[in-house]
Every structure is written in C-alpha cells, then in structure tokens.
Amino acid sequence: MFLTTYTRIWRAAKQAHIKIKNHVSRLRVVHEIVSVERSYTKSLSLVIDKFMTPLREKALLPEASIKTVFCNIPEIYKIHQTLLQTFEERLDAWSYQQSFADLFKPDLLLQMRDLYSKYINNYDSAMECIKTFKGQENLAKFIRGVEDYECNGTDLVSFLVMPVQRFPRYTLLIKELNKATDKSHPDKTNITNVLAQLERVTQFLNESRRKHSSQAKLEQMVDGTDGIQKYLSVDELMDGTKLEDRLGDFIMEGPLILLSSPLKGGSVSIYVFLFDGIIFFAKHIHNSTIQSIRGVLGLKKFKFSLLDAIDFRDIVYLTRLEETKFGITLKKDKVFKFETSSSSNREQWVRAIETSLGGFS
C-alpha cells in the first residue's frame, strides 16, 4: 500500500517536473521570438528615420533612387509594428496552455508574402544603386556618419539585407518552438500548420526572385545587345514551341574565347549569357564612331552584337577538353570549342551547363 502510494506520488512529481520543464522551454523560445521581432522592427524604424527620411529631406538622393534603395520598407515596418504588438500582448498573458503559433494567421502571411516579394525582387537593384554612392562625396559622407554615430558601425547594406533573411529566420524560430512543445499541447497543431505555410511562402519568394532576376537579365541583355531583339521576336519555332518558353532561369554570364564554331574558324573573344535552355554569345562593340553616329541619330547604343545562340535541345555532347577548354557538339556534328580564363572557371561553366542540361535529358 505504501509502495503504491509512493509510486503514484513519484510519477505525479515526474510529470509535474516535465510539465514545468516544457513550460520553461516554450517560454524561453517565445521570449526569443519576441526579442528578435522587437530588434528587427527597431532596425526597420532606424532605416526609415535615420537614412530614408533625412536623405529625402536633405535632397541628397533623387526620389527615384530613394524608392529603388528602400523600396517598400515603410509598409513592411508598419505590418511588423502590429505583429510585434500582438506578440507582446500574448507574452504578457502567458500561461502553460497558451498558444503562440496561431498569431501567424494565413491572411497575415499572405499579406507579408506579397510585401516581401516586392522587396526581395527589388533587392539586387537596390544594391546596384548603392554602389554608385561612392562617387557622390556629400552622400557618402552622410551615410558614413549615420552608420558610425547612429548605428554603432552597422552599415546600410546590413540593414537592407534583413528583410531578405526574414522568412528563413521565422522558420528556424518556429522549429525551435516545435522542439520545445509537447505533442499534447494545444499549440502543436498550430505550429505544424505554420511551418507548412512558412515553407510555401519561402518557396514562393525564392521562385519569384528567380523569375524576376531572369526577366531583368533578359531585359538588360536585350537592351544592350544588337540583334537579340530580332532573335527573340520569333513567334514560333519549327517544332511549334515558342522561343520565350525555351528561356528558363538566368544562370550566369561572362567572357570566353570562342576557339572554333560552324561559322568561324579562328578564335574570337566573346561574352556569353547562359540561360536554362539557351546559350547566347555575343561580341563587344568597340567601334566608338558607330556608337556616336547612333547616338546622334537618336538610336540605341549597344554594348554587344549577337553572334549566335545554342538551343539546349540541339546539344549532343558536352566535353571537357585540355585544362581550360571545353566543347559543345550539336546535332549534325556541329562543334563549338571554348576557352576559359582558368581550369576552375572552366569547371564553373561546364557544371552550370551540365546542371541545366539535366532538364532536357
């Protein structure tokens, strides 16, 4: 009788201990989530108050550049102000049975997805714009001063990358909350649902950025390459497919030497644009007289002139040649041979093409 009673007491004490331990673990993670959210919201506020607003008021940066660099940060800040408030209210009313993951409501995540998609797709343009600041003495001096005296040495770029990293950070934090939550806890289902939603949002943002990056690169290539617009204007190819459907994601670009091709016997320096589906190669236009005449006539000045393109569906072999060279063999034994700047650069090109070819096997 005594032993049975003791056993019951021991089991009850053990369960109570586990319950308290889980409660403490969950509370610790929730505190971390709220703290991280508070720090992030403060950083967004700092970007607006110390960088964006003064730059506009002092007219140190054109309005178009301000919109490029800071994009929709004020809208993102506003939604996180509200989210932080709900986090803090939930924490203030904390109890063992209290849920937290339910605060990441589906409609909220959808709204955040759209805001962050716009920001992330603009991020590369923002970084390119910031590179131009170094040549503007007053602007560069102002930004350095804010970074040194208002931000404890944290530079503007470090603040601007934070939204890009936001959803991966949420996923990590909610996973920690999941580890600290017992299966029987009412928040467990909420956590599972939120993790699935965060994964979908992250996939959407990644895919959106890939598509935007590829489209931006295509537009840049069309804008700077003579002959590319005519090539891309082909409405339908012989097999009935549209050319635009052959252009997948932009992969990489860079200079190569075309050693030989079906059209050229001698070597020529070229610039290559690799898309997931087609390889474009062009040559630099060095004739300043022609460019000047085009400018006088009000015509577009091109940086490149299109030489040729390779459709991945025509590739039969991709071959590593001696050290810095590789070759591409097409149907009807047409061969292109290229030389790269180094063996590592050769591997970078070959692996990129091999990976892309995987989708056409």
Side-chain angles (χ1 to χ4, degrees):
M1 182 69 178
F2 173 77
L3 185 59
T4 302
T5 303
Y6 177 80
T7 301
R8 283 202 303 268
I9 294 173
W10 179 82
R11 287 176 177 171
K14 184 178 180 181
Q15 289 174 355
H17 174 74
I18 293 173
K19 185 175 180 179
I20 293 171
K21 184 179 179 181
N22 289 341
H23 175 65
V24 171
S25 296
R26 270 180 56 81
L27 184 57
R28 176 186 57 79
V29 176
V30 169
H31 268 293
E32 182 181 3
I33 294 173
V34 175
S35 176
V36 168
E37 187 68 22
R38 189 180 295 119
S39 175
Y40 177 62
T41 305
K42 182 180 179 181
S43 294
L44 294 178
S45 175
L46 191 150
V47 169
I48 295 169
D49 295 340
K50 302 300 181 181
F51 288 102
M52 190 183 79
T53 301
L55 284 171
R56 178 177 282 131
E57 292 176 346
K58 296 175 185 291
L60 289 172
L61 201 60
E63 185 62 27
S65 297
I66 288 176
K67 289 181 178 179
T68 298
V69 172
F70 300 102
C71 194
N72 59 341
I73 274 188
E75 296 172 70
I76 293 175
Y77 170 63
K78 187 175 180 180
I79 201 171
H80 281 279
Q81 269 188 309
T82 303
L83 184 59
L84 176 60
Q85 184 178 348
T86 62
F87 281 2
E88 291 176 333
E89 288 173 354
R90 183 61 59 89
L91 184 58
D92 289 341
W94 196 252
S95 67
Y96 174 75
Q97 292 295 315
Q98 187 64 273
S99 292
F100 188 83
D102 62 311
L103 296 177
F104 290 90
K105 300 183 184 300
D107 58 339
L108 171 66
L109 289 176
L110 184 62
Q111 186 181 0
M112 292 172 69
R113 185 200 72 177
D114 293 340
L115 287 174
Y116 276 83
S117 178
K118 180 178 180 179
Y119 183 88
I120 292 171
N121 289 346
N122 178 75
Y123 179 75
D124 289 340
S125 297
M127 294 302 103
E128 288 299 317
C129 188
I130 286 176
K131 289 179 183 178
T132 67
F133 291 0
K134 293 180 181 179
Q136 303 176 57
E137 186 176 345
N138 290 340
L139 175 60
K141 183 178 179 181
F142 169 79
I143 290 176
R144 282 197 305 270
V146 174
E147 291 171 345
D148 292 340
Y149 299 107
E150 302 284 355
C151 307
N152 296 319
T154 303
D155 61 16
L156 176 59
V157 171
S158 296
F159 286 111
L160 294 178
V161 77
M162 289 179 181
V164 178
Q165 303 166 335
R166 196 66 202 150
F167 272 89
R169 187 72 184 274
Y170 276 139
T171 299
L172 289 174
L173 290 168
I174 298 301
K175 283 183 177 180
E176 286 299 311
L177 184 62
N178 188 42
K179 290 178 183 178
T181 304
D182 187 78
K183 292 179 180 180
S184 61
H185 196 283
D187 203 23
K188 195 69 173 181
T189 301
N190 297 326
I191 293 172
T192 302
N193 292 337
V194 168
L195 283 173
Q197 291 171 46
L198 287 173
E199 182 178 357
R200 287 194 294 270
V201 170
T202 301
Q203 289 175 348
F204 176 90
L205 294 176
N206 290 338
E207 182 63 20
S208 177
R209 186 175 188 182
R210 277 196 298 271
K211 288 180 179 179
H212 181 84
S213 176
S214 295
Q215 184 61 35
K217 178 52 64 176
L218 179 60
E219 290 173 2
Q220 179 186 341
M221 187 176 69
V222 169
D223 194 51
T225 307
D226 187 19
I228 195 71
Q229 185 65 61
K230 183 178 179 181
Y231 185 89
L232 292 173
S233 65
V234 178
D235 290 329
E236 193 168 302
L237 301 177
M238 292 182 66
D239 62 358
T241 61
K242 290 185 177 181
L243 181 60
E244 61 183 5
D245 295 333
R246 297 284 186 89
L247 285 172
D249 293 338
F250 170 73
I251 307 299
M252 63 184 292
E253 64 180 299
L256 292 175
I257 296 175
L258 179 62
L259 298 174
S260 64
S261 75
L263 300 177
K264 283 188 169 288
S267 63
V268 58
S269 296
I270 60 172
Y271 198 85
V272 179
F273 300 93
L274 173 60
F275 285 80
D276 189 4
I278 295 180
I279 306 171
F280 296 100
F281 39 98
K283 64 178 180 180
H284 279 279
I285 297 176
H286 298 293
N287 194 321
S288 58
T289 301
I290 292 177
Q291 294 285 46
S292 297
I293 292 173
R294 292 186 67 87
V296 170
L297 294 175
L299 300 175
K300 185 185 296 181
K301 295 182 181 181
F302 292 111
K303 186 177 180 181
F304 301 103
S305 176
L306 182 67
L307 286 177
D308 208 339
I310 297 175
D311 190 318
F312 275 30
R313 300 191 185 196
D314 294 331
I315 296 178
V316 179
Y317 302 113
L318 173 64
T319 311
R320 289 173 173 83
L321 303 175
E322 55 270 30
E323 201 164 345
T324 61
K325 302 172 184 176
F326 69 94
I328 297 177
T329 303
L330 308 183
K331 296 173 183 177
K332 298 182 180 180
D333 294 326
K334 294 180 179 179
V335 179
F336 291 82
K337 292 183 179 179
F338 304 91
E339 184 171 7
T340 63
S341 59
S342 64
S343 57
S344 60
N345 186 234
R346 192 271 303 268
E347 282 305 299
Q348 186 180 11
W349 279 101
V350 171
R351 287 175 182 173
I353 296 171
E354 282 177 337
T355 301
S356 299
L357 279 172
F360 291 83
S361 59

